[in-house]
Amino acid sequence: MTQEAIMNIATQTIWTIIKAAGPLLIVSLIIGLIVSIFQTVTSIQEQTLTFIPKLLGIFLTMLLLGSYILNTIVSLMERLWSNFGEYIL
């Protein structure tokens, strides 16, 4: 296996991680920002207040985008396994 092939696999893997985790992280970030603004406006400084909204937001995002995330990961694995013979030489 050449150094170029290893870099190609690493690049594909990193992009797959970004595409799979990105929507969940963005939703969590937006919900956290909204709750933080709400806490600032209402002077409520409860640390655990963001937990339930983030949990619900991530759950809904998983319901809506779960198939996209799974297809992205499966696509990477299919590409890796289809070229497995090249990697072991």
Side-chain angles (χ1 to χ4, degrees):
M1 182 185 291
T2 65
Q3 191 174 17
E4 181 179 319
I6 293 170
M7 290 302 295
N8 187 22
I9 292 170
T11 303
Q12 288 178 359
T13 304
I14 289 171
W15 278 113
T16 301
I17 291 168
I18 290 171
K19 289 190 316 187
L24 299 173
L25 293 174
I26 290 171
V27 166
S28 179
L29 177 75
I30 291 171
I31 291 173
L33 182 64
I34 291 169
V35 171
S36 175
I37 291 171
F38 174 75
Q39 285 179 320
T40 302
V41 170
T42 61
S43 298
I44 299 173
Q45 296 303 320
E46 177 62 35
Q47 295 294 324
T48 59
L49 185 62
T50 62
F51 182 72
I52 298 298
K54 281 184 181 180
L55 188 65
L56 291 174
I58 290 174
F59 178 71
L60 290 174
T61 305
M62 285 292 287
L63 282 176
L64 295 174
L65 298 177
S67 63
Y68 165 76
I69 293 169
L70 184 62
N71 288 336
T72 302
I73 295 169
V74 167
S75 173
L76 172 70
M77 291 309 298
E78 285 176 348
R79 279 181 281 163
L80 289 176
W81 283 106
S82 67
N83 298 328
F84 187 72
E86 298 172 16
Y87 300 146
I88 59 173
L89 295 178

